[in-house]
Amino acid sequence: MSSPSLFSICLMLLLIQQVVSLDYGAALTKSILYYEAQRSGKLPPNQRIQWRGDSGLGDGSDNRIDLVGGYYDAGDNVKFGFPMAFTITMLSWSVIEFEAQLKAKNELSNALDAIKWGTDYLIKAHPQPNVLYGQVGDGDSDHDCWQRPEDMTTPRTSYKIDQQHPGSDLAGETAAAFAAAAIAFKESNPSYSSQLLVHAKQLFDFAKSHQGKYSDSISAVRKFYGSSGFQDELLWAAIWLHRASLDQSYLEYLQSQETGGTRTMFCWDDKFTGVQILISKLILEGKLDKGNKKWAEYGGHAQEFICNCIGKGSANANRTSGGLLWWDPWNDLQYAATASFVITSYSDYLTSLGSDLPCPLGPVSAVDLINFARSQVDYILGINPKNTSYMVGFGSNFPQQVHHRGASIVSMKKDKTPVTCRGGYENWFSKNAPNPNVLDGAIVGGPDYNDNYRDSRANYQQAEPTSVNAAPLVGVLARLAA
């Protein structure tokens, strides 16, 4: 065997140095900080992102309801309830699984603040047991304008589901968000936790008794966050409600439904994998009978998903040549982030039992799983063929022209001159210069299948961050920073 060349040795040392220099704690801080930049409504005195200001203070007025608050979805100024609720569920799951690690890094209170900013809004959006507001703002008119949220002039229409216009997916996901958040707040704010659980139970009952897709009831959302179905959200709500209440009726519901099969992805529109992972946890802990056919089916699909992600399965997920899990040219990092989260969580489940994961291509240890998740996070943070961090504000080389209205326009605190609808495109969107405001912690859509990335505001497939991208990484980063 020939000895390694000087070049390969230098390259190896450089990669080792990069790995060592990654500060997961700093990335964790930024991932939570990002949500402060996405806030809608009246900003609190302890707001840390100072280039933002109050916005959307009249939201809900068209229906004589207070819908002020919540989060803007991505680089636009619309509040889409479906992905927002999924974001809150994943932030809550991050806190539940990795509370000790978040606390050790002094980020637990910030993570809980991020959750509460969302749940406070969702409580407002659920004024009656069978009424839930699922969107504020119109996607088409919003996308025609390029304005800061502080001075937007687009319609702030509010849309709801009710008994005559059902949305089991939206109601189910929001129930899951409330139930997961109820667990997250159980110790620090028990009265708030109880309030959240009441909303969760009401919405689950609404979702079951009035079935239908929310995007059939709220047609304005179809081209942005149309739903492919609602069975997964009903299961997702049920497993979180069981975890929050320990009520066996939710397990009975899960027993009576189809398990969803082995999924190819876990995302805002497909939660089957999340359900299967949570049921697997109960099986591994001996709280569910692994000999039960239905529970074994749920658990088997969870294992198959993880095996496929790590390349040890019978239908392995694609990866770029640089090693990133690959699903879609549009915002691929959302899928890599959720996969990394479930793999990290499952690794810890196995560690507590001293077990391995049986895969078609051989057993996989808990250490192998966490190392794989680390490889995905490292890629996102800059150890990739482009040496680019896809977390804004992290590292020395990160996207400068993020597709984000607020970040791309000078702060009102520096220039109060109103930005007009089309003037924003002319003066800011088309400006070939770095954004004046750094959107710390945002995870952009990410590279293409060839590991390439074009840093341009016009490149919304790759350069637009969304709230769902960062939420799973909060938990993974807390675990890696420990």
Side-chain angles (χ1 to χ4, degrees), residues 108-122:
L108 179 58
S109 62
N110 289 326
L112 289 172
D113 284 348
I115 295 168
K116 194 170 186 294
W117 192 267
T119 50
D120 282 352
Y121 168 78
L122 294 177

Side-chain angles (χ1 to χ4, degrees), residues 136-408:
V136 179
D138 174 69
D140 286 326
S141 59
D142 179 90
H143 286 196
D144 281 341
C145 295
W146 195 263
Q147 296 173 291
R148 296 171 292 212
E150 291 83 1
D151 57 8
M152 58 186 166
T153 57
T154 48
R156 300 299 292 170
T157 312
S158 53
Y159 303 85
K160 67 180 178 180
I161 56 171
D162 54 28
Q163 290 170 297
Q164 290 73 42
H165 311 89
S168 302
D169 30 26
L170 175 64
E173 178 55 72
T174 310
F178 278 133
I183 303 169
F185 282 103
K186 191 169 185 178
E187 288 188 16
S188 64
N189 195 339
S191 62
Y192 189 63
S193 173
S194 298
Q195 182 186 8
L196 295 173
L197 192 54
V198 169
H199 283 278
K201 291 177 178 179
Q202 289 178 347
L203 280 171
F204 181 60
D205 290 343
F206 174 37
K208 282 195 306 174
S209 60
H210 298 84
Q211 296 194 4
K213 290 198 300 184
Y214 93 108
S215 45
D216 288 340
S217 295
I218 303 177
S219 59
V221 81
R222 286 176 190 164
K223 69 170 73 172
F224 304 101
Y225 286 101
S227 174
S228 60
F230 56 80
Q231 294 303 327
D232 54 328
E233 280 83 20
L234 290 174
L235 298 179
W236 185 232
I239 190 61
W240 278 115
L241 273 160
H242 171 261
R243 192 164 179 178
S245 68
L246 300 181
D247 186 330
Q248 294 299 301
S249 67
Y250 297 111
L251 288 182
E252 292 168 7
Y253 179 81
L254 287 156
Q255 274 270 37
S256 70
Q257 302 299 307
E258 295 298 318
T259 61
T262 301
R263 313 306 289 181
T264 58
M265 61 178 63
F266 173 38
C267 65
W268 60 265
D269 188 38
D270 191 334
K271 287 78 177 217
F272 280 114
T273 294
V275 176
Q276 294 159 2
I277 292 290
L278 288 170
I279 290 177
S280 293
K281 176 179 170 64
L282 294 175
I283 296 170
L284 291 169
E285 292 173 343
K287 295 176 181 177
L288 290 179
D289 179 11
K290 64 181 178 182
N292 179 286
K293 184 178 179 181
K294 182 60 68 93
W295 298 140
E297 191 177 330
Y298 276 111
H301 293 317
Q303 290 182 344
E304 289 170 17
F305 176 82
I306 294 174
C307 292
N308 289 338
C309 284
I310 64 175
K312 295 285 188 177
S314 55
N316 293 330
N318 291 323
R319 283 190 235 174
T320 70
S321 59
L324 178 69
L325 284 168
W326 179 260
W327 280 274
D328 199 297
W330 192 305
N331 194 18
D332 183 66
L333 290 185
Q334 67 169 309
Y335 310 110
T338 49
S340 297
F341 181 90
V342 298
I343 291 169
T344 300
S345 298
Y346 205 88
S347 170
D348 281 1
Y349 303 160
L350 292 180
T351 297
S352 65
L353 295 171
S355 301
D356 287 344
L357 170 67
C359 285
L361 299 184
V364 179
S365 71
V367 173
D368 291 335
L369 290 180
I370 195 67
N371 285 339
F372 181 84
R374 186 190 306 272
S375 76
Q376 297 303 294
V377 172
D378 288 352
Y379 185 106
I380 292 170
L381 296 182
I383 300 179
N384 54 59
K386 298 292 286 184
N387 292 314
T388 295
S389 167
Y390 295 110
M391 173 182 279
V392 180
F394 184 86
S396 58
N397 183 29
F398 54 84
Q400 301 294 310
Q401 292 193 25
V402 181
H403 181 95
H404 188 275
R405 285 159 177 76
S408 69

Side-chain angles (χ1 to χ4, degrees), residues 51-99:
W51 50 266
R52 282 298 320 283
D54 299 341
S55 62
L57 299 182
D59 284 0
S61 58
D62 61 324
N63 279 305
R64 297 182 180 180
I65 183 173
D66 175 10
L67 293 176
V68 176
Y71 289 111
Y72 296 118
D73 170 60
D76 51 34
N77 297 328
V78 183
K79 296 191 295 200
F80 290 110
F82 196 39
M84 190 195 305
F86 180 64
T87 297
I88 299 307
T89 309
M90 292 307 299
L91 283 173
S92 298
W93 196 0
S94 291
V95 166
I96 294 164
E97 293 288 350
F98 306 107
E99 181 176 8

